[in-house]
Amino acid sequence: MIGAPQYLLTLYIAEQEDDEESPISPGYVADALDRSPPAATERLQNLDAKGLVDYEPYEGATLTAEGRDAAADLYDTYQILSRFCRDVLGVNDHEGEAMQLVGNVSPTVAERLSATLLRGDGDRDGARQAAGSESTSSPDNPAS
């Protein structure tokens, strides 16, 4: 489901890619989220009413300080989810999947995913080896 988190994240990414602080058009946001321009405009207006963006008709939206802080947190979660979808799940459209999930994952889950990913392949290999040695144990010959 596409909601406020996806809109904030889309604006944040667009602002990071754009050197200038020019407003991001509703058409750009609509294309990025596969929504109609009127739907994007309505959502941006709602975010404006909540103080998360500054929306100007016919120009676009920019994140407010509060919106930028929220979007930065979402971006961190998005990066973790994207990496998890790519590296662990092997999903081809890992960025699209991460975009769908962002805003639906608690900070605790994001932190634990990040910790799991940061362990690296070396730790995973070690865990596999440990699991392999445990599989050779039996009730008569327990692993020590």
Side-chain angles (χ1 to χ4, degrees):
M1 175 183 224
I2 300 295
Q6 288 78 16
Y7 280 84
L8 291 172
L9 183 57
T10 298
L11 289 171
Y12 183 82
I13 292 170
E15 284 185 359
Q16 297 302 311
E17 292 173 353
D18 189 11
D19 291 336
E20 301 174 21
E21 291 189 25
S22 57
I24 309 302
S25 74
Y28 174 88
V29 175
D31 287 344
L33 295 174
D34 196 25
R35 296 290 177 249
S36 69
T41 298
E42 181 179 348
R43 178 63 75 163
L44 292 172
Q45 290 169 337
N46 290 340
L47 292 171
D48 180 73
K50 292 178 180 179
L52 297 171
V53 303
D54 288 323
Y55 176 74
E56 293 294 327
Y58 307 107
E59 295 209 17
T62 55
L63 292 165
T64 62
E66 182 182 353
R68 191 167 289 104
D69 288 345
D73 290 341
L74 289 168
Y75 185 72
D76 291 343
T77 300
Y78 166 76
Q79 287 187 306
I80 293 165
L81 290 169
S82 181
R83 186 171 172 204
F84 178 76
C85 288
R86 183 191 68 212
D87 296 351
V88 177
L89 301 179
V91 175
N92 288 333
D93 183 19
H94 54 91
E95 292 174 338
E97 291 295 331
M99 181 63 81
Q100 291 289 323
L101 292 170
V102 76
N104 294 311
V105 173
S106 72
T108 300
V109 170
E111 288 172 17
R112 291 187 182 172
L113 281 174
S114 179
T116 299
L117 293 171
L118 290 175
R119 279 191 259 171
D121 291 330
D123 286 351
R124 280 189 231 148
D125 290 341
R128 284 188 199 119
Q129 289 173 357
S133 67
E134 288 174 12
S135 65
T136 59
S137 66
S138 67
D140 295 334
N141 185 16
S144 47

